[in-house]
Amino acid sequence: MTDTPAHDHSETIDDDRRNFIHIATGAVAFGGAAMFAWAAIDQWNPAADTKAASALDVDISKIPLGGEIRVLIGGKPFFVRHRTQGEIAAAESVNVATLRDPQTDDERLHAKADGTLNRAILVTSGSCTHLGCVPVGPAQGNTGDFGGWYCPCHGSHYDTSGRIRKGPAPKNLPVPDYNYVSDSVINISL
Amino acid sequence: MSGHESSYTPTNAFTKWLDTRLPLVRFAQDTAINFPTPKNLNYWYTFGGILAVCLVIQIVTGVILAMHYEASVDGAFASVERIMRDVPYGWLLRYIHANGASMFFLAVYLHMFRGLYYGSYKAPREILWILGCVIYLLMMGTAFLGYMLPWGQMSYHGSNVITGLFGAIPLVGESIQTWLMGGPSIGNQTLQRFFALHYLLPFMIAGAVILHVWALHVPGNNNPTGVEVKDVAKDTVPFHPYYTVKDAFAIVIFLIMFAVFVFYAPNVLGHADNYVEANPLVTPAHIVPEWYLLPFYAVLRAITFDLGPIPAKLLGVIFMFAAIAVLFILPWLDTSKVKSMRYRPVAKQFFFGFVAVCLLLGWCGAANPDDAVIPALQGDPKLVVSYTADGQEATSEYKGGNEAYLDAKRFMETLPADANASLSAVPAPTFLFRHFSLILTFCYFGFFVLLFFLGLTEKPKELPESIHKSVLKRHKASASAVPAE
Amino acid sequence: MKAFRILTAGLAGLMIAASAHAAGGAAHPHEPEEGWPFEGVTGQFDQASLQRGYQVYQEICSSCHSMKLLSYRNLGDPGGPFYDPEYPNPNDNPFVKAIAAQNEILSPTPNDAGDFDFRPATPADTFRSPYPNDNAARAANGGAVPPDLSVIYKARHDGASYVYSLLSGYPDEEVYSERVVAEASDGGTPDDESDDTPAQVQTVIDASKLHIGHGDEHYEGYLIQNPGQYYNPYMPGDTVPQFEGDPRHAPPGGFLAMPPQLIAGRVEYSDGTEATVEQMAHDVAQFLAWAGEPKQTNRKSLGLAVMVYLGILTILLWFSYKRIWRNVEH
């Protein structure tokens, strides 16, 4: 072996770049970095305690007729509304075909343990489907043009079933996962 | 960022356009690809690359941990455990960060000893060395601040001791201490400011590292011979791929050791007491800093005597800071013109002694200063009966085995009840860690004084003509031992 | 150069040995004869033992010791005592729900009237604490706060073995005796009860009857046990001030405020295992080892994969390195 300055070996170095062993090494190193990156990215996901705090029992027996309560689950607002007979009738009488996001009132209710519907209680998300503002409702004295909720940010009107009727919002107020623990308690989860 | 001529030529229209506006590619080519590096660098020279990896790992994992950490005395301890339990891969990221600090220091010590051995601090690299010392100082600050964040017993009481050091400074000490803690004691406000600084300092380290690399690239690397590059073509190889692959290999070997700690002994370098939430009313029996600060802690505790008007406490602090400060003036303390200790047979022996002194100081720092260094050499403790006789304090001593105890007991029975006799064991005088640290402290400083005088009198070995010649000579030596190919 | 290498290689070793300085004065904790199933590279927790350990904690320890960092849902986490693969989300695990509901906790959120109600715990709630705060705990336990057990495994050297040794290491009944230090007195006036003083009695331990761990060390003398203090050879501390005997040969250990808790048969295991002192200590120590670091088995198995990966990368890099440098003498 003779010692020659490395600069004269540029050709050999270029050959080397295509050498299998270098490609394999680079690939394995890259794979390892990607695995570490996965751990660094996965930690952005909700932590176990955050996930665990995503359900709530709500006592519906104390909601006044025609009123509503607002609850926070995992920081998100939800409306639980005790509808009057008139409001139920208004929600049911709408021609679904004319709606922007067609849904019947019954589709927006969850059944009790015995399979029947409790039409007096409506549970919806409390975030406007337009840009996430919290609409005002009976407690604020403004239920909009259709008796449900009114979003003051950009003027979306929801009816007594929480469906979008007027304004920029594209969708009805979503109905969360909930079930009747008993006749007077519902469990809402994200 | 380099002192040699650029070898980059833009090839296409875009790179030509870019090169006249922001020569980023040229910069990268010159500093990280084509940079001529002595071809005789051994594995001790890979720790620079390893340290860069350590810094990146610490910053990445640290930024992530900060997303989950809560800087409050009520929430800090629980939020750290939440990271360990509930955050996806939180346990991995935290253990990497906690052990990463130790790995960082391990690498920096090896890097510093390497610089010391090969004379990398000598002209024209004094600024390079001083910047390294600045980085080391910033690292110690960052590590100390970070160790407080879990809000365990060691965090709290360790911080108490270190902030107390500032209190030893005459006149302004107590004001500085109060100012650091933001109150009469370490509390919520201290934790918050320490967290803010712990987040800031690593970026200051990164800035100092950029300067450090800049200062390296002006004169170029030192090398094991200490002889400067004479012929770029013969003495050097381009940094990439020669040293990128060598550094990468060393980095992976280092990562294996790192991973052993993270996955199989994640708490062995820490203290069990730090898993007890901070309690200002109870001090742990044995306060010691993390291992990487132990030698300085030993120097601090070695000084137990007043020197003229300077009280022992202040003197200890002065010696401890001097132990670090002496590194800054090292380029001017060492008078020898020869860089590498390879060619300084006498200084080399003292260098090994210095490494041993540093290790032993670390050992002393971890031990109780009043314990015997070698318990086997300590004689049996003697028994002492203390009592009052005629209103005077009196003692009576007994030496030996069980007989001595029985004698002492018989003597106590002869004493009247109002003599208040009590029996205690007094350890036999022996060589204690306190004494040992004091000797080692003087050895530590002695080494630097010695370097000054040794450079004037020492007769070095003959230096090789060039890096290239030195390599050839070594290869001939090994070729004559092994049959030729 | 050789000396340099050896010395520097010794750096980590010596420093580790130095910083792992053992706490003085107490007997060295020992593990159960069969060892710990969760130790070693591929170790796993014994789920049945974890369940029994939880039972011991729940029925005995939890009346004084909190575990504030654990939630009931953790019991149903993968690797946990009540993990059921059918319920990957422990919040849905009916067994975990039932265990949680057995505990009445003070709700952390106020009710509509602004008051805090007691309610059955849900899986998302943290373990019920026996005392509302440290002051209440201190007042109820003669000035000593029973430590939180969440991370006791990591907060003590050799955590699991320490808990096991401490709980099963109280001396046998036979070593204790009572000693009268002051006779009862009627105060000189036999008819007047107000100046009477009762006899003062001291509990003493005959050190010559102590058998500590597997050691055959012999001690001669008496240990005086003050009221509310209990001798344990594994407790870090100093027995010399309480020792009547040669102070150079005082028994190891110290005194703690917790009386012996594990008495054979104190819990009735639902799986029919005989509740001996060693069995209960073993189960609860393993439970606390899990609770202190529930991710430790994941950690070790991921570590194995990382080691294999780094090994492969090392070999590949070595060949790359050799190939790149093959024409350069250095």
Side-chain angles (χ1 to χ4, degrees):
Chain A
M1 261 201 327
T2 53
D3 186 70
T4 343
H7 293 292
D8 301 346
H9 277 275
S10 49
E11 235 173 284
T12 333
I13 295 170
D14 278 345
D15 277 351
D16 261 11
R17 290 211 176 105
R18 288 186 288 274
N19 186 280
F20 166 74
I21 193 83
H22 301 328
I23 295 166
T25 309
V28 170
F30 181 78
M35 294 300 273
F36 176 74
W38 167 244
I41 292 164
D42 191 33
Q43 58 83 26
W44 289 85
N45 282 314
D49 61 330
T50 310
K51 286 189 212 160
S54 59
L56 187 72
D57 283 345
V58 179
D59 184 355
I60 54 175
S61 64
K62 294 199 183 86
I63 310 171
L65 187 64
E68 68 174 2
I69 57 170
R70 298 179 166 207
V71 293
L72 280 178
I73 300 169
K76 287 177 74 171
F78 290 89
F79 300 152
V80 185
R81 183 146 172 183
H82 190 175
R83 302 187 292 185
T84 61
Q85 280 304 322
E87 286 171 340
I88 297 168
E92 286 181 335
S93 63
V94 176
N95 179 2
V96 174
T98 64
L99 295 176
R100 187 177 300 168
D101 182 11
Q103 255 185 326
T104 65
D105 189 47
D106 283 3
E107 279 168 8
R108 296 176 55 77
L109 300 172
H110 287 191
K112 294 197 279 191
D114 60 6
T116 60
L117 290 174
N118 179 2
R119 292 200 166 80
I121 296 294
L122 176 73
V123 184
T124 72
S125 155
S127 305
C128 179
T129 56
H130 179 221
L131 289 170
C133 293
V134 181
V136 295
Q140 289 79 22
N142 186 352
T143 53
D145 293 355
F146 298 88
W149 289 272
Y150 169 68
C151 182
C153 288
H154 305 94
S156 292
H157 297 257
Y158 295 92
D159 68 11
T160 53
S161 191
R163 292 172 297 203
I164 181 64
R165 299 295 287 273
K166 191 175 149 191
K171 292 272 182 196
N172 301 335
L173 291 177
V175 176
D177 271 346
Y178 70 94
N179 61 293
Y180 282 87
V181 178
S182 70
D183 274 355
S184 61
V185 176
I186 57 170
N187 179 278
I188 310 174
S189 58
L190 288 179
Chain B
M1 203 162 153
S2 63
H4 69 104
E5 255 171 64
S6 180
S7 58
Y8 171 70
T9 23
T11 48
N12 61 39
F14 173 71
T15 47
K16 275 177 194 154
W17 179 85
L18 188 68
D19 199 49
T20 52
R21 284 156 182 82
L22 179 67
L24 205 62
V25 184
R26 176 183 298 275
F27 176 77
Q29 282 271 345
D30 291 345
T31 54
I33 310 275
N34 295 337
F35 186 71
T37 313
K39 61 183 181 179
N40 60 338
L41 300 189
N42 55 28
Y43 279 106
W44 297 109
Y45 280 81
T46 59
F47 284 99
I50 289 171
L51 284 162
V53 170
C54 285
L55 180 63
V56 170
I57 289 177
Q58 289 305 88
I59 290 184
V60 168
T61 54
V63 168
I64 291 172
L65 291 172
M67 295 180 193
H68 303 285
Y69 173 73
E70 189 186 329
S72 79
V73 295
D74 294 326
F77 188 81
S79 77
V80 170
E81 274 303 317
R82 179 179 170 270
I83 291 170
M84 297 295 292
R85 290 153 193 273
D86 289 338
V87 174
Y89 289 107
W91 59 268
L92 176 63
L93 297 161
R94 177 175 172 251
Y95 276 154
I96 288 176
H97 196 73
N99 286 287
S102 284
M103 297 299 118
F104 207 153
F105 274 97
L106 178 64
V108 93
Y109 282 132
L110 295 174
H111 192 63
M112 288 163 77
F113 279 128
R114 192 270 292 150
L116 206 54
Y117 185 81
Y118 293 120
S120 304
Y121 48 86
K122 291 184 192 178
R125 297 185 183 82
E126 301 95 323
I127 302 280
L128 174 62
W129 171 264
I130 289 172
L131 283 166
C133 293
V134 169
I135 294 171
Y136 174 55
L137 215 54
L138 286 170
M139 279 174 64
M140 289 204 281
T142 313
F144 158 67
L145 295 170
Y147 193 54
M148 189 200 190
L149 302 184
W151 203 244
Q153 277 286 67
M154 280 292 179
S155 301
Y156 182 88
H157 294 281
S159 309
N160 224 348
V161 170
I162 304 281
T163 48
L165 293 182
F166 290 94
I169 302 169
L171 302 173
V172 292
E174 269 180 52
S175 305
I176 292 178
Q177 195 184 351
T178 312
W179 175 76
L180 272 177
M181 298 191 298
S185 68
I186 289 172
N188 210 56
Q189 70 290 344
T190 324
L191 187 57
Q192 281 177 303
R193 62 185 61 182
F194 278 23
F195 178 49
L197 291 177
H198 181 69
Y199 204 115
L200 169 71
L201 286 190
F203 297 98
M204 292 176 66
I205 294 178
V209 166
I210 290 171
L211 296 180
H212 189 66
V213 174
W214 189 1
L216 167 71
H217 281 207
V218 175
N221 282 76
N222 184 27
N223 67 83
T225 63
V227 176
E228 295 295 326
V229 171
K230 294 199 170 109
D231 179 344
V232 169
K234 277 185 172 173
D235 290 346
T236 71
V237 290
F239 187 76
H240 179 75
Y242 291 95
Y243 281 106
T244 42
V245 73
K246 189 168 182 172
D247 280 0
F249 178 69
I251 286 165
V252 172
I253 297 288
F254 188 77
L255 287 181
I256 289 177
M257 184 196 60
F258 195 157
V260 168
F261 279 107
V262 168
F263 292 104
Y264 297 109
N267 293 315
V268 81
L269 296 171
H271 298 280
D273 276 325
N274 223 29
Y275 281 106
V276 178
E277 193 168 359
N279 180 355
L281 289 172
V282 182
T283 302
H286 201 72
I287 295 191
V288 284
E290 293 286 80
W291 68 267
Y292 39 79
L293 301 178
L294 287 175
F296 299 105
Y297 192 55
V299 171
L300 174 76
R301 292 194 304 184
I303 313 296
T304 49
F305 51 85
D306 300 345
L307 190 74
I310 308 170
K313 185 181 172 189
L314 177 60
L315 198 61
V317 174
I318 290 172
F319 267 75
M320 189 182 74
F321 283 118
I324 303 166
V326 72
L327 297 173
F328 282 81
I329 54 165
L330 175 62
W332 297 277
L333 278 180
D334 188 351
T335 46
S336 174
K337 293 280 171 274
V338 177
K339 289 200 184 84
S340 173
M341 294 220 184
R342 243 189 214 177
Y343 308 104
R344 300 180 64 191
V346 183
K348 184 176 171 174
Q349 299 309 318
F350 283 107
F351 169 80
F352 292 138
F354 179 70
V355 175
V357 164
C358 291
L359 290 170
L360 291 171
L361 271 173
W363 184 37
C364 291
N368 181 347
D370 292 323
D371 279 353
V373 178
I374 307 162
L377 293 186
Q378 190 175 22
D380 282 336
K382 63 186 176 194
L383 292 169
V384 178
V385 179
S386 332
Y387 58 96
T388 43
D390 309 327
Q392 298 275 311
E393 299 280 329
T395 56
S396 173
E397 295 183 3
Y398 298 85
K399 283 180 193 166
N402 198 40
E403 292 305 312
Y405 171 67
L406 295 175
D407 287 346
K409 210 72 196 162
R410 268 194 292 275
F411 173 68
M412 284 170 80
E413 273 158 24
T414 64
L415 292 168
D418 61 355
N420 279 326
S422 70
L423 182 66
S424 59
V426 176
T430 184
F431 188 52
L432 302 177
F433 276 107
R434 191 149 38 85
H435 309 134
F436 196 29
S437 339
L438 191 60
I439 293 170
L440 290 168
T441 300
F442 283 103
C443 292
Y444 179 94
F445 289 104
F447 173 72
F448 295 99
V449 176
L450 196 109
L451 277 182
F452 183 85
F453 291 107
L454 208 56
L456 304 173
T457 58
E458 185 187 41
K459 192 175 177 304
K461 284 196 210 162
E462 195 194 341
L463 288 177
E465 218 171 291
S466 71
I467 295 170
H468 176 63
K469 289 265 166 60
S470 138
V471 168
L472 276 187
K473 199 176 148 201
R474 266 199 333 186
H475 276 258
K476 279 204 192 96
S478 61
S480 60
V482 182
E485 287 170 43
Chain C
M1 272 318 280
K2 206 165 216 173
F4 188 22
R5 278 172 203 173
I6 293 165
L7 267 169
T8 333
L11 180 84
L14 189 73
M15 289 295 182
I16 292 162
S19 57
H21 194 79
H28 190 70
H30 56 91
E31 55 177 28
E33 272 171 40
E34 64 276 19
W36 295 112
F38 55 86
E39 280 187 347
V41 175
T42 55
Q44 293 293 327
F45 287 106
D46 172 2
Q47 205 185 17
S49 177
L50 289 184
Q51 293 181 359
R52 291 193 298 268
Y54 174 70
Q55 194 182 345
V56 175
Y57 168 75
Q58 175 67 20
E59 290 181 19
I60 302 174
C61 318
S62 75
S63 54
C64 296
H65 291 277
S66 60
M67 286 183 88
K68 289 177 187 160
L69 299 175
L70 270 90
S71 299
Y72 292 105
R73 66 185 160 82
N74 293 132
L75 296 171
D77 280 339
F82 301 106
Y83 174 62
D84 185 343
E86 219 173 293
Y87 301 98
N89 181 354
N91 291 335
D92 302 333
N93 186 325
F95 202 74
V96 172
K97 281 184 177 173
I99 288 173
Q102 285 169 3
N103 295 277
E104 286 269 311
I105 61 158
L106 190 64
S107 174
T109 49
N111 65 14
D112 296 342
D115 298 324
F116 292 87
D117 294 328
F118 280 95
R119 61 164 169 82
T122 67
D125 288 312
T126 51
F127 278 19
R128 189 184 71 89
S129 289
Y131 305 104
N133 51 54
D134 277 0
N135 289 6
R138 196 176 289 120
N141 290 282
V145 182
D148 184 270
L149 297 182
S150 311
V151 284
I152 201 85
Y153 166 67
K154 290 190 286 191
R156 298 287 183 270
H157 284 289
D158 220 348
S161 298
Y162 169 79
V163 171
Y164 171 77
S165 300
L166 186 86
L167 288 179
S168 59
Y170 285 94
D172 293 333
E173 205 58 46
E174 60 180 31
V175 309
Y176 296 95
S177 57
E178 304 248 295
R179 186 160 77 184
V180 178
V181 283
E183 297 288 344
S185 144
D186 61 9
T189 44
D191 303 330
D192 183 2
E193 283 188 10
S194 64
D195 66 349
D196 287 1
T197 48
Q200 279 179 26
V201 182
Q202 223 172 28
T203 305
V204 295
I205 293 169
D206 184 350
S208 64
K209 290 182 187 163
L210 287 173
H211 304 287
I212 293 160
H214 308 297
D216 41 13
E217 197 81 27
H218 184 77
Y219 306 96
E220 200 63 57
Y222 287 91
L223 272 175
I224 299 157
Q225 202 170 259
N226 289 333
Q229 295 288 304
Y230 302 88
Y231 169 71
N232 192 302
Y234 300 96
M235 181 72 191
D238 185 11
T239 56
V240 171
Q242 311 274 88
F243 186 56
E244 281 180 0
D246 190 339
R248 298 168 301 180
H249 298 289
F255 295 84
L256 71 166
M258 178 174 77
Q261 291 296 333
L262 301 183
I263 296 146
R266 184 158 171 197
V267 298
E268 196 175 318
Y269 282 135
S270 47
D271 64 1
T273 306
E274 195 193 339
T276 61
V277 172
E278 278 73 23
Q279 182 68 46
M280 287 187 286
H282 175 276
D283 291 339
V284 81
Q286 184 160 191
F287 171 71
L288 292 175
W290 166 79
E293 201 171 356
K295 297 275 162 60
Q296 59 181 292
T297 50
N298 306 26
R299 187 186 79 216
K300 286 183 280 193
S301 53
L302 180 62
L304 203 58
V306 168
M307 289 299 162
V308 170
Y309 165 78
L310 287 175
I312 292 170
L313 187 57
T314 308
I315 293 165
L316 285 172
L317 268 170
W318 174 252
F319 284 117
S320 257
Y321 166 55
K322 281 285 144 191
R323 189 171 169 80
I324 286 170
W325 281 82
R326 71 192 184 283
N327 289 329
V328 183
E329 288 193 18
H330 59 286

